[in-house]
Amino acid sequence: DIQMTQSPSSLSASVGDRVTITCRASHTISTYLNWYQQKPGKAPKLLIYAASSLQSGVPSRFSGSGSGPDFTLTITSLQPEDFATYYCQQTYTIPYTFGQGAKVEIK
Amino acid sequence: EVQLVESGGGLVKPGGSLRLSCAASGFSFSSYTMNWVRQAPGKGLEWVSSISTRSISIYYADSVKGRFTISRDNAKNSLYLQMNSLRAEDTAVYYCARVYTSSPGDYFDYWGQGTLVTVSS
């Protein structure tokens, strides 16, 4: 199975900050990498697919980059509604695996 | 509007069985691969199972293989997960998710609200 490792596991940031979350795959996955946002008690929401494509309706302050084993999710100018947990997911091969999550908290 | 609504969760004893359902609306259900994903309390997301449009390709996580069965009824726009021999570690919120198949890579573009399964004596 492909292991997905996110870092950091949690971070504290302020409104307006630039936030970067990384995700590393244990094997090459090309750009078969998606990012999801999850708020407490809610279902995950797709943000980015294919490493860098912004899902329709997602604010442009969210962006993704990377290929092969290393990927990045960037939030420019963090907004109050962005405090949540973020997960990466590989769909290169089944079993589709998720990272352990990165919780973005208010500083 | 795309909607996925899970049901069938509840409290069950270890070794028991439960059948989850996911009712789909607002899209052509028969055209999409569907998946189940679960999340144990306070934990991360875990992919559980996948079923293709005509049920030809079916896959399971090793943790549920031989105990869970995924199925679908395209005429009823419904996805199912039959869970047998349940264990405490199966306790989780179970989500159904629609898979958008693209190049490169699939992604889960719509999710249900989840249904909680608790396995406890």
Side-chain angles (χ1 to χ4, degrees):
Chain A
D1 297 0
I2 296 177
Q3 307 303 316
M4 306 300 293
T5 304
Q6 293 182 235
S7 62
S9 294
S10 65
L11 65 95
S12 295
S14 301
V15 173
D17 283 353
R18 178 186 179 95
V19 168
T20 299
I21 298 167
T22 64
C23 179
R24 171 167 287 182
S26 60
H27 305 281
T28 183
I29 58 170
S30 184
T31 56
Y32 290 63
L33 190 284
N34 308 313
W35 289 98
Y36 301 87
Q37 175 194 67
Q38 187 180 34
K39 297 181 179 179
K42 299 295 186 182
K45 172 188 173 183
L46 177 69
L47 298 176
I48 302 285
Y49 63 92
S52 61
S53 296
L54 191 68
Q55 172 68 348
S56 175
V58 174
S60 58
R61 63 180 178 273
F62 291 92
S63 64
S65 64
S67 67
D70 294 312
F71 301 87
T72 298
L73 173 70
T74 299
I75 312 171
T76 58
S77 190
L78 196 67
Q79 297 301 300
E81 60 268 31
D82 301 336
F83 291 96
T85 301
Y86 294 85
Y87 294 92
C88 62
Q89 176 206 32
Q90 65 83 17
T91 53
Y92 183 77
T93 187
I94 283 178
Y96 295 154
T97 43
F98 293 88
Q100 80 279 16
K103 187 174 184 179
V104 177
E105 298 177 299
I106 302 172
K107 182 182 287 184
Chain B
E1 179 193 5
V2 171
Q3 282 199 318
L4 298 169
V5 180
E6 301 94 338
S7 61
L11 176 63
V12 61
K13 289 182 169 54
S17 298
L18 214 53
R19 188 195 196 206
L20 305 184
S21 299
C22 172
S25 60
F27 67 102
S28 178
F29 178 74
S30 61
S31 299
Y32 289 86
T33 291
M34 297 296 295
N35 279 228
W36 288 97
V37 175
R38 69 183 181 183
Q39 186 170 37
K43 302 297 184 182
L45 300 169
E46 180 188 14
W47 174 80
V48 172
S49 184
S50 174
I51 185 167
S52 62
T53 56
R54 292 185 293 161
S55 307
I56 293 173
S57 298
I58 288 176
Y59 305 96
Y60 298 98
D62 286 345
S63 57
V64 307
K65 201 172 294 183
R67 301 187 299 121
F68 288 12
T69 301
I70 191 172
S71 63
R72 66 190 294 162
D73 186 335
N74 288 340
K76 294 184 177 179
N77 292 336
S78 293
L79 173 72
Y80 306 101
L81 187 67
Q82 177 66 45
M83 304 186 294
N84 298 331
S85 303
L86 282 162
R87 307 166 179 166
E89 53 264 36
D90 295 319
T91 294
V93 174
Y94 285 74
Y95 296 100
C96 64
R98 188 180 88 164
V99 179
Y100 192 95
T101 300
S102 75
S103 177
D106 298 344
Y107 51 90
F108 296 10
D109 61 347
Y110 286 94
W111 299 62
Q113 85 289 350
T115 187
L116 176 62
V117 172
T118 303
V119 184
S120 175
S121 54

